[in-house]
Amino acid sequence: MATTGVSPAKAVLLAVQLANKSDLSTLRILVSQHRKTLHTELVLRILLSHLPESLDSSAYVPFFEDLISGRIVEDSKTPVDSSALLELTEVEAQKKVRKLHLLPLAWPHCPADAPADPVILFLIHRALRIDENTGLLTQLPELLTPFLHYSDYLRTWMISTILPLVRFNYDYHPDDGAALTIAKFETLDDRAGVSLLLSKTGKEPTTEPDLTVGRDLKGLVGPWLYGDTRWKRRKVRENSSFSLQSLERLDETPSVEPKYVGWEEVFKWLLGQAGTSWKTAVKAVEQWDGPADVDLGGYEDGTTWLAEEDEIHLERRFARSGLAAAYLISEESEEALNGIQRILTRMTTLLDKDRIPTLQAAAALLSPVPDFEDNILSSKSATYLRNDLLEDHNILTTPNEQSLKLLHVLLISAFLCTKAGCSLSVRRAGELVFLQDERDQKFLFSKLMSRIGDGPKSDDRYWMKTRSEILWLRSWGAEELFEGSESVNGKGVLGQLPKESIEAELLKALLANTRYTLARSIYETSPEQPLSKKALHDAIISAAMNAYDNATNANRTRGGVKKCDDILQAFPDTLDGSLDKDQLEHLITVTHYMGAYRLVFKQGEPFKPVSLRLHGDPISIIGKILDQNSRSYTKIGDFIDMGKHMVRAGLTVRKVDGETALKPEQVMEEESVAEKRVVSMCIDAALADDDFETAYSYVVTRLKEIAGPAHARTPELERRGTGLFAEPPPKVIDDWSWRAALQAGKYRRTSQTTKPTHLGNASGNLEIRHLEQRMDCLAQALRIAPKATLQEILNVYRRCEEELESHVKQEAEQEEAWDAQGDEQVMPGGYAPTPAKKTTSSRAVEEAPMSLFDLSRASMARAQNGFSALSMLKGNHTVQEQAQNASRESIDSRGSTGDASSQSTVKAPIRKRDQLKNAAVGSLASGIGWLINAPPINRNDEEHEEP
C-alpha cells in the first residue's frame, strides 16, 4: 500500500519502525515523501534513539550525508509498506508518538561550549552511544571523518579524544586489558591522561630499532593535547562545578599557564623515565622533536595549531627536560653514559649549537675547558642536580651553550672514570665538581689507582694516556690555557687533590708495573720535572718499600724483592747518597740471605719479607732460623753479617710508629750488640744440638773478643748534678754473652754429645777435658757477668772443680796401678818392690779442694797483703774490678807450659783457684770483712763505667 495517505503521526511511527529494522533505503523513501513531517532534526533524533549502535557506520553514513546536505529527492513512485499501521487509529498513533521519548541530540553533561548544530550534536552523541553500548570504537572514525569539515569543534574532538583512544586501545597496545570508554577518558585530568596514554610506552618487548616511544608521544599524547579546547573545556568545568578538588586547587598558585599544563606532565613523565628506565627516556628524546612533533592521523586541516610563541616556549621546555633527564640517569655504566651523549647531541641539534664530538673522540682529545660564567661551579649548584630540575632558576638545565658545555665535560669525566673501571654517573661527577669534597675525591682517586693496573702493563702508550686522563680529571686541562695554574686547585672531579700528590701516585703505579724507563724519562730526566726532588725521592722509596712488602719470596732475583731492587737502581741520580736507599739495599741483602734457610713463623705459613721489616725484634728471627735449620750455627759468620745488615737497614732502632730512628753514630754500637746476640744464639743452638765443641770454640774465640760486662752501666741516666758533674749516657748492657758462656759452662757431656775431632795438648781423658772446657767457659762468664750472678757461677764452678779433682785422683790411681802392674808383672828381671814415700801428684796438690770458708779466709789474707786489694778495700776500686782484672790476666794460664828458667823472668801463672779467690773477694768482703777489720765498702760507688 502506498504511503501517500499516511498521516504525520503514522509517518513518524513508521520511521521509527524502519530505523529499528535498519531499513535505511525504505526510510529514505519515507523521508522524501514526508519531508515536512520528517524534518532533519526529527530524523536525527529517531536515528539516534532507534538505529542499532551495532550497525556498521558505512551502512548509514551515505544516508546521513544526503539527509544533512538535502540531497534526498521525493520519490512518490516507490510505495512504502504501511500495512502494520492500518488498524491503528489516528488518535492512537498520536498517543504512541507522544510516548516515543526520542533522545535529545545533546548528550548528557554536554559542555556549555558545545556547538548548537544538530548535525555535530548527533555525531558526537551517536559516537558516545556506540562506545557505551557496543565498545566499537573502531567504527567512529568512519562515522566522523566525512563530517569533520563541518566543524572545528568536531575535528578537535575527533583528534584529541577518538584518535588517541582508538590508537591506545586497538592500534598501539591491543592486547592489554579492557578498553577505556570515551566518557571516562574525557574525565581524566592532565596527569592521569598522560600517565594512562604512556603507561605502556617502552615496556613492551620489541625488536631494534624500537620506535614505539616516539610513536606514542607523537600519536597518543600529541593528539590528546591537540588544540586549546581541552584546557578551555577544563576551565569551564572547573568554574561550573564546586567540589573538594576545586577547593584544593584554589589554594594552589598556578605557576604554569593552563594551556601548557598537559605538556608539563609529559616533561615530568620524561624525567621519571630517566630515573627508572633511562633507555625509554633516551629514545623519547631521540625520536621526538617536542610538542610540535605530533601525528594527527591526517585529520588536521593543514593549519598550524600551535602559535609561534607557544611553540618556542614548549621547545625550550622540552630542551630543559632533556638536560634534566641526562642528570637523572643514575646508572653507572658506559651504556648509560652513551645514552646521555645521545641526549646531549639531540639537545645541541635542537638548540642549533655547534656539533659535539662523540664520547670516545672527546675522551681521546681531552680538550682544555675554558672557565664557566655566572659562578655555575659553586656548591649551590649541587642542589640543582636533584631538585627543581624543570624550574627556570636551575642554571644546570637552562638550555644554553654554558649548560651544554658543562654537561659535556661532566659526561667526559664520568666516562673516563667508568672506562678505567671506576663507575661514575654524571650526577655523581657533578657533585664531586660542585662540592669539591677532598675526602670523596681521595676515595675516587684511590679507586682509580687501584684499577688502572688492570690494563696492558707493558704498553707505555697506555700509561702515558692514563696519566694524561687523570691529570685532566683534576684540572680539565687548565694548564694548557693558563700558565702557572699547577699551583692552584683544579676544578675537575679531582680538583682538591694537589697535583704533586697525584703525580707521586702515578709514579708509584708506573714502578709497581715495572715501567722504569718511562717513569725515569717523565720524572727524573724530563726538563719539566713534575715532582720536586724530595717528593720524587719519597715516592721512589715508598714504591720500593711497597714492592718489598708485597713480596712472597725472599730471593732478590725474583718477585717483589727483585722489583724493589730494580726500583732502587732505576733512579741513580735521585737516590745518589740516599740513606733510605742504603737501608733498603741492606734490607734486600739480609732478606736474600734469610731466603736460603727454612723459616716458618706460624704453622703452615712460610716466611714473608714484610715480616722481617715489621718485626719488633728482627735479630730474634736469626734464633728461629737456628732452631729450624740443623747445624746452621756452624755458619756463624753469615749470621753475624745478617745481624749487621739488619742494623744498617734500620730495623733495630725504631720510633713508636715503626719508622727507623737509627742515627749514624749508633751504627757501631748496634752492630756490636747484634754480633753479641748472634754469637750467643749460635752458642745456644750448638748446645741444643749437643755440639759442645763448637759452642766451646765460640766462647773462647768469638765471645772472648766481643763480650762486654753486663754491669758496665746504670739502667737509667740518673743525674746527680749538672755541668761538669753530669753523667754520660748509659752504655748498652751485654746481657747475652755471659748467659751463653754460663750455659756452656753448665753443659754436661752425654752419650749424644759430639766427640772432639782432635785433642791437641789437652788431656786424653774426655771427661777431664770436658770439665776443663766447662771451667774455661765459666771463667769467661765470671769475667763479664753481673755481680748478682757471681754466687751462682761460683757454685757451678765449685761443682766442676770437685768433679775435676775426682777424675784427676781417679786418673792418678789408674796411672799408679798401671805403673805398679808394669813394674811387677810386665817388666822381666825386675827388682823387689821398694817401699816408697806416699806422695800425691802435683796436680792433685795444686787442685786440692778447699772449703768455702777456707777460700774466704785465704782471699781476705791475700787482699790484705796486696796493694791492689788494700786499695780496693779502701774504696779506690771495686772488688768486682779486681776479680775481672785477675780473671783477664789468668784466663789462659792453666794451659801454658814452659821450663822454670823461662818463667823466672815473668810473673808466675795464677791458678784457677786463685782466680776464683780474687773474684770471690768482691762478693764476700762486705759479708765477712769484720774478720779482718776491713773498712766498709762505699755502696754508692759500687758501679762505675768500665775504663
Side-chain angles (χ1 to χ4, degrees):
M1 176 182 281
T3 59
T4 54
V6 176
S7 64
K10 291 184 177 181
V12 171
L13 293 176
L14 185 58
V16 171
Q17 291 180 358
L18 294 174
N20 283 328
K21 296 178 182 179
S22 302
D23 189 357
L24 297 180
S25 59
T26 304
L27 180 61
R28 174 190 288 272
I29 297 173
L30 180 63
V31 171
S32 66
Q33 294 176 355
H34 299 274
R35 194 74 177 100
K36 292 184 179 181
T37 302
L38 299 175
H39 53 84
T40 300
E41 184 175 349
L42 179 59
V43 174
L44 292 177
R45 294 183 64 189
I46 291 173
L47 292 175
L48 184 63
S49 304
H50 296 282
L51 186 66
E53 286 81 4
S54 59
L55 183 63
D56 192 87
S57 299
S58 60
Y60 59 90
V61 167
F63 166 72
F64 183 62
E65 287 180 315
D66 293 342
L67 177 65
I68 61 177
S69 62
R71 292 196 297 266
I72 296 181
V73 183
E74 182 178 355
D75 186 3
S76 57
K77 297 179 180 180
T78 304
V80 178
D81 185 9
S82 58
S83 57
L85 302 176
L86 292 179
E87 298 179 356
L88 192 64
T89 63
E90 185 65 21
V91 176
E92 293 175 341
Q94 292 179 356
K95 187 180 292 186
K96 286 183 175 289
V97 169
R98 286 194 293 270
K99 294 182 179 180
L100 285 176
H101 301 299
L102 297 177
L103 295 173
L105 294 179
W107 62 93
H109 310 295
C110 179
D113 62 337
D117 189 342
V119 176
I120 305 304
L121 295 177
F122 167 78
L123 289 172
I124 295 177
H125 199 171
R126 174 70 180 176
L128 292 173
R129 287 183 61 80
I130 291 175
D131 176 57
E132 181 179 0
N133 295 329
T134 64
L136 298 175
L137 275 175
T138 54
Q139 294 186 9
L140 301 186
E142 189 176 2
L143 169 65
L144 301 177
T145 301
F147 308 102
L148 295 180
H149 63 281
Y150 276 89
S151 168
D152 290 338
Y153 185 94
L154 180 63
R155 183 187 301 276
T156 301
W157 188 77
M158 168 66 189
I159 293 175
S160 63
T161 303
I162 303 302
L163 180 60
L165 198 56
V166 171
R167 283 175 171 174
F168 182 77
N169 287 334
Y170 297 99
D171 296 342
Y172 294 171
H173 308 287
D175 301 327
D176 294 327
L180 191 68
T181 63
I182 297 175
K184 291 183 178 179
F185 183 65
E186 287 189 316
T187 61
L188 298 177
D189 59 11
D190 298 292
R191 180 176 301 175
V194 171
S195 178
L196 172 69
L197 294 176
L198 298 178
S199 60
K200 300 166 185 177
T201 302
K203 297 181 180 179
E204 298 175 344
T206 57
T207 57
E208 296 295 337
D210 179 17
L211 304 177
T212 59
V213 178
R215 178 203 67 185
D216 288 357
L217 288 169
K218 297 174 184 178
L220 295 180
V221 177
W224 185 62
L225 296 175
Y226 173 77
D228 57 358
T229 56
R230 287 197 68 262
W231 70 268
K232 287 181 179 179
R233 291 201 305 270
R234 183 173 63 251
K235 186 174 182 181
V236 171
R237 287 198 301 269
E238 291 177 355
N239 291 336
S240 60
S241 62
F242 189 80
S243 62
L244 181 60
Q245 183 178 5
S246 63
L247 284 175
E248 292 175 352
R249 290 179 179 176
L250 288 176
D251 297 334
E252 298 178 0
T253 302
S255 58
V256 181
E257 292 188 32
K259 59 182 176 181
Y260 302 141
V261 172
W263 291 114
E264 290 297 326
E265 293 298 330
V266 177
F267 301 146
K268 291 179 182 178
W269 173 86
L270 180 61
L271 265 63
Q273 293 300 308
T276 58
S277 178
W278 63 267
K279 293 183 179 179
T280 301
V282 173
K283 291 177 182 178
V285 173
E286 282 190 317
Q287 299 172 13
W288 188 44
D289 290 338
D293 184 15
V294 295
D295 178 11
L296 303 181
Y299 298 119
E300 67 276 14
D301 57 358
T303 60
T304 303
W305 67 281
L306 270 179
E308 183 178 359
E309 180 182 354
D310 295 337
E311 184 175 354
I312 294 174
H313 172 78
L314 291 175
E315 183 179 89
R316 292 187 63 82
R317 294 295 295 171
F318 172 59
R320 183 181 288 275
S321 303
L323 295 176
Y327 284 109
L328 288 178
I329 296 178
S330 58
E331 182 176 317
E332 298 175 347
S333 65
E334 287 193 34
E335 185 181 11
L337 295 178
N338 283 314
I340 297 176
Q341 170 73 9
R342 289 153 57 187
I343 292 177
L344 183 59
T345 303
R346 189 77 177 87
M347 293 298 102
T348 303
T349 303
L350 184 67
L351 297 175
D352 196 22
K353 302 297 182 182
D354 295 337
R355 292 183 60 186
I356 60 174
T358 64
L359 190 54
Q360 290 73 17
L365 291 174
L366 296 180
S367 302
V369 180
D371 283 339
F372 290 92
E373 301 175 357
D374 299 333
N375 202 23
I376 194 173
L377 298 181
S378 66
S379 58
K380 183 180 179 181
S381 299
T383 60
Y384 293 144
L385 289 170
R386 299 177 182 271
N387 303 315
D388 303 333
L389 288 167
L390 291 178
E391 299 300 325
D392 292 337
H393 60 266
N394 193 323
I395 59 178
L396 301 182
T397 57
T398 301
N400 55 31
E401 187 173 358
Q402 182 172 243
S403 61
L404 292 175
K405 183 175 67 174
L406 177 61
L407 177 59
H408 190 212
V409 71
L410 292 177
L411 177 60
I412 296 174
S413 300
F415 178 75
L416 290 176
C417 294
T418 303
K419 182 170 65 72
C422 181
S423 299
L424 197 69
S425 65
V426 169
R427 183 167 63 187
R428 180 57 183 156
E431 291 174 346
L432 291 170
V433 169
F434 299 142
L435 297 178
Q436 288 295 320
D437 186 277
E438 185 176 1
R439 183 178 63 178
D440 291 343
Q441 291 185 3
K442 282 184 177 179
F443 179 72
L444 172 64
F445 180 65
S446 63
K447 289 179 64 178
L448 278 173
M449 296 308 298
S450 65
R451 298 298 177 85
I452 61 175
D454 298 336
K457 299 182 179 182
S458 59
D459 188 358
D460 284 352
R461 290 177 300 177
Y462 164 78
W463 287 106
M464 295 177 66
K465 180 181 178 182
T466 299
R467 175 176 177 266
S468 300
E469 290 175 350
I470 292 180
L471 291 177
W472 186 91
L473 287 173
R474 176 187 176 270
S475 62
W476 287 345
E479 292 89 347
E480 300 181 21
L481 297 178
F482 310 102
E483 294 184 0
S485 59
E486 296 88 345
S487 59
V488 299
N489 291 336
K491 51 190 176 182
V493 295
L494 302 177
Q496 282 296 308
L497 305 184
K499 183 182 178 183
E500 192 169 75
S501 66
I502 292 178
E503 291 280 16
E505 293 302 321
L506 289 171
L507 171 59
K508 294 176 185 178
L510 288 173
L511 298 179
N513 290 275
T514 68
R515 311 318 303 153
Y516 308 126
T517 304
L518 177 62
R520 185 166 185 251
S521 66
I522 295 176
Y523 294 99
E524 187 176 62
T525 61
S526 173
E528 297 180 0
Q529 293 295 315
L531 290 173
S532 65
K533 190 171 183 64
K534 182 180 183 305
L536 177 59
H537 172 274
D538 293 344
I540 295 170
I541 296 300
S542 177
M545 293 188 68
N546 187 60
Y548 180 88
D549 290 346
N550 291 325
T552 57
N553 192 304
N555 194 315
R556 71 183 307 163
T557 62
R558 291 187 297 173
V561 179
K562 179 180 183 299
K563 183 184 292 185
C564 176
D565 194 20
D566 291 342
I567 291 174
L568 295 179
Q569 305 307 320
F571 295 86
D573 299 338
T574 303
L575 299 182
D576 185 25
S578 170
L579 177 62
D580 293 326
K581 176 192 176 184
D582 294 341
Q583 290 180 345
L584 272 176
E585 287 181 339
H586 286 290
L587 180 62
I588 293 171
T589 302
V590 70
T591 304
H592 180 72
Y593 286 165
M594 296 175 68
Y597 297 93
R598 179 182 181 275
L599 179 58
V600 177
F601 283 112
K602 298 180 181 179
Q603 186 175 4
E605 181 180 341
F607 167 74
K608 293 183 179 179
V610 69
S611 302
L612 171 61
R613 194 177 74 82
L614 300 179
H615 201 282
D617 183 15
I619 302 295
S620 65
I621 299 179
I622 296 178
K624 295 182 178 294
I625 296 177
L626 294 170
D627 293 340
Q628 298 176 22
N629 296 266
S630 179
R631 295 192 60 78
S632 57
Y633 55 84
T634 58
K635 300 179 181 179
I636 188 172
D638 293 344
F639 291 113
I640 291 175
D641 290 340
M642 284 188 193
K644 292 182 177 181
H645 281 300
M646 289 180 183
V647 171
R648 294 190 175 273
L651 302 180
T652 57
V653 181
R654 298 177 184 270
K655 299 178 183 177
V656 178
D657 57 0
E659 294 293 328
T660 180
L662 182 67
K663 299 178 181 179
E665 58 270 17
Q666 293 178 298
V667 173
M668 296 295 293
E669 183 179 8
E670 289 296 322
E671 284 185 341
S672 175
V673 171
E675 184 176 4
K676 294 170 184 177
R677 292 188 62 186
V678 171
V679 172
S680 301
M681 291 176 184
C682 289
I683 293 173
D684 291 340
L687 294 175
D689 204 24
D690 290 317
D691 189 356
F692 177 78
E693 294 296 325
T694 301
Y696 172 73
S697 67
Y698 290 164
V699 171
V700 298
T701 56
R702 293 185 178 272
L703 202 62
K704 176 182 177 182
E705 297 176 357
I706 65 173
H711 52 275
R713 68 148 206 178
T714 53
E716 296 180 358
L717 181 59
E718 299 178 358
R719 293 190 175 275
R720 301 180 182 175
T722 57
L724 297 176
F725 300 100
E727 294 183 353
K731 293 185 177 180
V732 177
I733 292 179
D734 182 3
D735 200 35
W736 311 278
S737 300
W738 73 269
R739 292 183 185 274
L742 177 59
Q743 292 302 318
K746 288 182 176 181
Y747 181 82
R748 289 185 174 276
R749 190 168 173 275
T750 64
S751 60
Q752 302 295 329
T753 302
T754 303
K755 296 181 179 180
T757 56
H758 64 281
L759 299 177
N761 296 329
S763 173
N765 190 322
L766 295 182
E767 290 296 336
I768 295 177
R769 182 179 186 276
H770 178 68
L771 288 170
E772 291 175 347
Q773 290 175 328
R774 287 179 59 191
M775 293 174 68
D776 285 342
C777 295
L778 291 172
Q780 182 69 22
L782 181 65
R783 183 173 66 88
I784 58 177
K787 180 180 62 176
T789 61
L790 291 180
Q791 189 63 52
E792 177 187 359
I793 300 175
L794 289 173
N795 292 337
V796 178
Y797 193 95
R798 181 178 180 78
R799 287 193 293 270
C800 288
E801 192 176 35
E802 292 173 352
E803 292 180 20
L804 178 61
E805 183 65 25
S806 174
H807 284 288
V808 169
K809 285 182 178 181
Q810 184 179 357
E811 183 182 25
E813 292 174 357
Q814 290 177 353
E815 289 178 357
E816 290 179 359
W818 177 259
D819 290 342
Q821 183 181 4
D823 292 341
E824 296 175 2
Q825 300 177 6
V826 180
M827 295 295 294
Y831 294 96
T834 302
K837 182 180 179 181
K838 187 175 182 179
T839 60
T840 304
S841 66
S842 60
R843 182 168 189 173
V845 173
E846 181 184 355
E847 302 297 337
M850 299 177 67
S851 67
L852 185 60
F853 186 74
D854 292 339
L855 176 64
S856 301
R857 289 173 53 190
S859 299
M860 293 303 100
R862 187 182 185 88
Q864 282 185 324
N865 293 333
F867 175 79
S868 59
L870 182 60
S871 300
M872 174 194 66
L873 293 174
K874 290 182 179 180
N876 293 335
H877 297 282
T878 64
V879 177
Q880 184 75 16
E881 291 171 341
Q882 291 295 328
Q884 290 176 351
N885 292 334
S887 178
R888 291 192 195 99
E889 294 173 357
S890 59
I891 190 66
D892 297 323
S893 62
R894 184 174 52 84
S896 61
T897 59
D899 55 1
S901 61
S902 65
Q903 295 180 358
S904 61
T905 59
V906 297
K907 187 178 179 179
I910 303 176
R911 297 177 303 167
K912 282 189 173 58
R913 294 180 59 188
D914 295 333
Q915 297 176 29
L916 293 181
K917 293 173 185 176
N918 294 335
V921 170
S923 54
L924 299 178
S926 61
I928 59 176
W930 55 273
L931 291 174
I932 57 175
N933 296 321
I937 296 176
N938 186 0
R939 291 293 181 182
N940 294 330
D941 296 328
E942 283 184 348
E943 296 179 355
H944 294 279
E945 182 181 357
E946 184 181 4

